[in-house]
Amino acid sequence: MANRKKNPRERFSYLRELVTEFQDTSSVDAKEQVLANLANFSYDPDNYMHIKELNIVDLFIDHLLDENKNLVEFAIGGICNLALDKNFKLLIHKHGGVNKIISCLSSEREETVLSAITALMFLVCPESKADITTAPVIDCMLRFQESSNSRFSNLASVFLQDYCKPEQIQNARHLSANYSQVYSASET
């Protein structure tokens, strides 16, 4: 096992076997286990060149909207693990990952939502900031900030403080209030 960690070719071969198993198996349990393993391997920068070569980022992005909530949770976890790396940051943005990550904010699973918020924060860069700090996302963060769940509240507060301008927050509040008024009026 120690040799596997040190030998890049063995590491690549092992990751390739995992990707092949994921693609070839019809077992839901096996897919979940493999995607969880790939997400765990995404923690280690020594694996980054292999992850890029094997298009594992695309595998993660492709499963962000999956019906299987376990696959979504593992996929967003993998993306979150990679999102601080500038090359993966740009790749995730370029391959349409931001909008799919935003869709994870509505998950009923706490870990999926927390990973999505964290990934969005990690992904902010000049190329992606406008796509991430939109009024609907800011509105979502404002609601999370009011959550009784301190993990949601704390992460949302950091997002709003570090990545949003006061005028963006005010605009999101204004749009939300207008929407609520229109929605309330349409129900009567």
Side-chain angles (χ1 to χ4, degrees):
M1 183 173 267
N3 285 342
R4 176 173 285 155
K5 284 191 153 200
K6 294 181 182 183
N7 185 333
R9 288 312 308 163
E10 283 185 30
R11 194 181 282 233
F12 174 81
S13 295
Y14 182 69
L15 289 170
R16 185 178 58 206
E17 287 172 23
L18 286 174
V19 170
T20 301
E21 181 181 351
F22 184 86
Q23 293 168 335
D24 291 348
T25 188
S26 57
S27 166
V28 174
D29 289 340
K31 281 189 178 296
E32 290 174 357
Q33 185 175 359
V34 169
L35 204 60
N37 284 332
L38 289 171
N40 285 335
F41 278 104
S42 299
Y43 274 115
D44 187 349
D46 288 343
N47 294 324
Y48 285 4
M49 70 178 174
H50 308 309
I51 288 169
K52 186 170 183 355
E53 188 175 343
L54 292 166
N55 298 315
I56 293 172
V57 170
D58 289 333
L59 185 70
F60 290 148
I61 291 171
D62 290 345
H63 288 86
L64 289 175
L65 301 178
D66 203 284
E67 290 179 13
N68 181 321
K69 301 306 177 199
N70 289 331
L71 291 180
V72 174
E73 186 174 323
F74 301 141
I76 190 62
I79 286 175
C80 190
N81 291 340
L82 297 170
L84 269 178
D85 178 82
K86 82 174 177 181
N87 295 318
F88 285 120
K89 185 182 301 230
L90 295 174
L91 188 65
I92 292 164
H93 181 253
K94 187 173 115 182
H95 289 202
V98 169
N99 287 333
K100 290 180 179 181
I101 293 167
I102 290 170
S103 72
C104 292
L105 294 173
S106 63
S107 173
E108 67 275 358
R109 290 195 168 188
E110 182 175 344
E111 293 305 318
T112 298
V113 174
L114 293 170
S115 291
I117 296 169
T118 304
L120 288 172
M121 290 192 292
F122 289 168
L123 288 169
V124 171
C125 64
E127 295 83 2
S128 65
K129 187 169 186 175
D131 296 330
I132 294 171
T133 58
T134 62
V137 172
I138 293 170
D139 179 55
C140 185
M141 295 302 164
L142 288 167
R143 285 184 275 121
F144 285 146
Q145 189 178 37
E146 299 301 318
S147 172
S148 61
N149 181 323
S150 63
R151 295 171 77 196
F152 285 164
S153 179
N154 291 340
L155 264 181
S157 294
V158 170
F159 181 94
L160 293 166
Q161 181 179 337
D162 290 357
Y163 301 103
C164 303
K165 296 177 183 168
E167 57 270 15
Q168 288 177 296
I169 295 170
Q170 197 59 32
N171 181 48
R173 284 188 172 126
H174 178 72
L175 290 173
S176 180
N178 285 344
Y179 175 77
S180 294
Q181 288 175 350
V182 169
Y183 183 73
S184 295
S186 71
E187 286 188 332
T188 56

